[in-house]
Amino acid sequence: MSVKSRGELPSRSIISQKWTLLLCLGSFCAGMLFTNRMWTVPESKGITRTTAIEAEKLKLVSEGCDPKSKDIKHESKDIFGEVYKTHHAIQTLDKTISNLEMELAAARATQESMLSGSPMSEDKKTESSGKRKYLMVIGINTAFSSRKRRDSVRATWMPQGEKKKKLEEEKGIIIRFVIGHSATSGGILDKAIEAEDKKHGDFLRLDHVEGYLELSAKTKTYFATAVAFWDADFYVKVDDDVHVNIATLGETLVRHRKKRRLYIGCMKSGPVLAQKGVRYHEPEYWKFGEAGNKYFRHATGQLYAISKDLATYISINQHVLHKYANEDVSLGSWFIGLDVEHIDDRRLCCGTPPDCEWKAQAGNVCVASFDWTCSGICKSAERIKEVHRRCGEGENALWSAVF
């Protein structure tokens, strides 16, 4: 049993090894067959094979001759065109909204003026509700103590009575003395102005307390009130000690009628005065940089004019516009950062005779005349008649002018 069993062991081992080898070869062949039929090699994403036809198409596209590329370019042009049209429509809509806001602000200012109970004559109430278009509103800045100055202006360059009415109706020019009320509203000073206004009918009363240090606030209130009462192309501010040629002023402004944001006057840039006690001291001098610096360009305060859009801008933003000590500086500061056209016209700041007289004889009639040393005509109540006689444009110039 033992010998027999020993002899059989090698034969079994040999057979098993052969079968094992055959099975391995068979499995390998079956695996190869199965792999070739079932497994496909995926195409690499980054590598493309191009045929001759595809290469020709690529060449056409690179040269810009492919019909599809032309269609794409045409479509892109159409898209850009639509974008431009949309942008233009948005801009137009913005302008329309802006104009409506200005008109709404003007109407609101009119309502507030009426509700505030500020003194206003009957003819002004009629004017405020009218829709007439005027060329310009001239506001003559005055004070309670300036009765003689006002009378001298009435006797020279400011039309009175029927001529004043004719000036408004035929030429579209409104002229008013601009004044607020005293600290004690309804007192003797206010009653004197009311009596004077009843006689002449040439005042624009403001909801404002009078005072020399309050000129910046008065200027804001004037423009806001004027733009609420009258729809004009221009709004002018002038002092009551300055001589004005109305026709020459109108002809000057008409040249700029198409400019929506206009600021015209004699532009200057004076020093910022930090020293206390001096005239035109600037308490906020530190805002203008180092000592010895100058102000930004602004129109001198004796006479300047702004367009309706700027007057409306002041009306809308009057509660947030900063007031500097000097009124002309304040006005100039309100327009910094805005798209405003500054016009420097030296005819708006001529000297008194012989300066304005020589210029008139040379055919260059001045718009306004005053003495720089006095910031107005020195002793204007006595001297303005002489200035008017020697430098005035003549009454016929006003009535024959076409604006």
Side-chain angles (χ1 to χ4, degrees):
M1 291 287 294
S2 62
V3 174
K4 194 173 180 177
S5 60
R6 285 177 187 174
E8 290 176 357
L9 284 171
S11 63
R12 287 177 183 175
S13 176
I14 292 168
I15 293 169
S16 63
Q17 289 178 357
K18 288 180 180 179
W19 280 107
T20 300
L21 182 60
L22 290 173
L23 286 172
C24 287
L25 289 172
S27 298
F28 178 75
C29 293
M32 289 293 291
L33 179 64
F34 179 79
T35 300
N36 287 337
R37 290 195 175 187
M38 301 298 296
W39 183 53
T40 58
V41 180
E43 294 182 1
S44 60
K45 294 182 179 179
I47 302 174
T48 57
R49 297 180 180 179
T50 59
T51 63
I53 296 173
E54 290 173 342
E56 186 66 24
K57 286 184 178 180
L58 287 173
K59 184 178 179 181
L60 289 171
V61 170
S62 65
E63 293 176 355
C65 298
D66 185 44
K68 293 181 179 180
S69 68
K70 289 182 180 179
D71 292 339
I72 293 171
K73 287 181 180 179
H74 183 69
E75 290 176 3
S76 64
K77 287 181 180 179
D78 290 342
I79 292 171
F80 282 121
E82 291 298 324
V83 170
Y84 174 78
K85 290 178 181 178
T86 304
H87 180 67
H88 180 70
I90 292 172
Q91 286 184 325
T92 304
L93 182 61
D94 286 342
K95 290 180 180 178
T96 303
I97 293 173
S98 178
N99 291 335
L100 290 174
E101 287 177 344
M102 289 183 177
E103 291 176 5
L104 178 62
R108 189 182 294 119
T110 303
Q111 185 179 17
E112 289 176 355
S113 298
M114 292 177 176
L115 293 176
S116 66
S118 57
M120 183 168 58
S121 60
E122 290 300 321
D123 63 325
K124 292 184 183 68
K125 292 179 182 178
T126 304
E127 288 163 351
S128 65
S129 61
K131 296 295 183 180
R132 160 120 191 228
K133 184 75 174 180
Y134 293 92
L135 171 63
M136 60 180 170
V137 175
I138 302 175
I140 307 173
N141 182 44
T142 192
F144 290 111
S145 60
S146 299
R147 174 63 187 264
K148 289 184 178 180
R149 285 185 180 182
R150 291 193 292 273
D151 286 340
S152 68
V153 169
R154 293 184 181 111
T156 53
W157 62 269
M158 182 180 181
Q160 296 296 296
E162 289 300 318
K163 291 182 179 179
K164 179 173 91 61
K165 185 177 181 181
K166 181 180 178 182
L167 183 69
E168 296 175 3
E169 294 178 353
E170 295 185 7
K171 303 299 180 182
I173 299 175
I174 303 291
I175 306 178
R176 295 289 186 274
F177 288 106
V178 179
I179 196 167
H181 56 81
S182 63
T184 55
S185 183
I188 188 172
L189 295 176
D190 292 309
K191 289 181 179 178
I193 293 296
E194 290 172 14
E196 189 178 344
D197 188 26
K198 188 175 181 180
K199 179 180 179 180
H200 298 283
D202 55 6
F203 277 91
L204 173 63
R205 301 298 302 275
L206 304 179
D207 184 16
H208 165 80
V209 178
E210 284 292 321
Y212 180 77
L213 298 179
E214 297 297 327
L215 286 179
S216 294
K218 184 177 182 180
T219 300
K220 283 200 299 184
T221 307
Y222 158 61
F223 284 120
T225 307
V227 80
F229 283 167
W230 300 287
D231 180 12
D233 292 325
F234 302 99
Y235 297 84
V236 183
K237 178 263 174 182
V238 61
D239 290 337
D240 60 5
D241 55 356
V242 174
H243 180 268
V244 179
N245 283 318
I246 302 173
T248 307
L249 174 60
E251 291 168 353
T252 300
L253 295 180
V254 163
R255 298 190 191 105
H256 306 286
R257 211 168 199 167
K258 293 183 179 180
K259 299 171 183 175
R260 298 194 60 179
R261 290 174 295 277
L262 178 76
Y263 176 33
I264 183 171
C266 288
M267 299 294 165
K268 65 175 184 176
S269 182
V272 180
L273 301 178
Q275 184 180 353
K276 292 183 178 180
V278 300
R279 192 179 185 185
Y280 306 128
H281 165 63
E282 179 55 73
E284 297 180 90
Y285 61 88
W286 59 272
K287 288 185 177 181
F288 298 92
E290 302 298 327
N293 279 1
K294 292 185 176 183
Y295 288 112
F296 40 80
R297 286 282 175 184
H298 60 278
T300 186
Q302 286 80 3
L303 186 148
Y304 51 73
I306 61 175
S307 59
K308 180 184 176 181
D309 277 12
L310 295 184
T312 307
Y313 170 81
I314 293 173
S315 176
I316 294 172
N317 300 284
Q318 58 181 309
H319 300 298
V320 295
L321 294 176
H322 184 69
K323 303 185 295 293
Y324 288 101
N326 299 303
E327 159 250 339
D328 51 357
V329 172
S330 295
L331 184 75
S333 71
W334 300 336
F335 301 147
I336 289 179
L338 301 183
D339 187 13
V340 175
E341 183 170 353
H342 292 58
I343 303 293
D344 181 22
D345 193 331
R346 310 315 290 184
R347 293 181 304 153
L348 275 64
C349 56
C350 295
T352 54
D355 179 51
C356 58
E357 187 176 21
W358 290 342
K359 291 176 179 176
Q361 291 173 356
N364 190 22
V365 179
C366 293
V367 172
S369 303
F370 56 89
D371 297 309
W372 283 104
T373 54
C374 298
S375 296
I377 299 174
C378 299
K379 298 180 180 179
S380 64
E382 293 81 25
R383 292 185 58 235
I384 196 170
K385 288 184 179 180
E386 178 193 359
V387 176
H388 184 66
R389 179 178 61 82
R390 298 173 64 179
C391 300
E393 61 195 353
E395 188 174 356
N396 291 333
L398 177 59
W399 304 118
S400 61
V402 178
F403 303 121

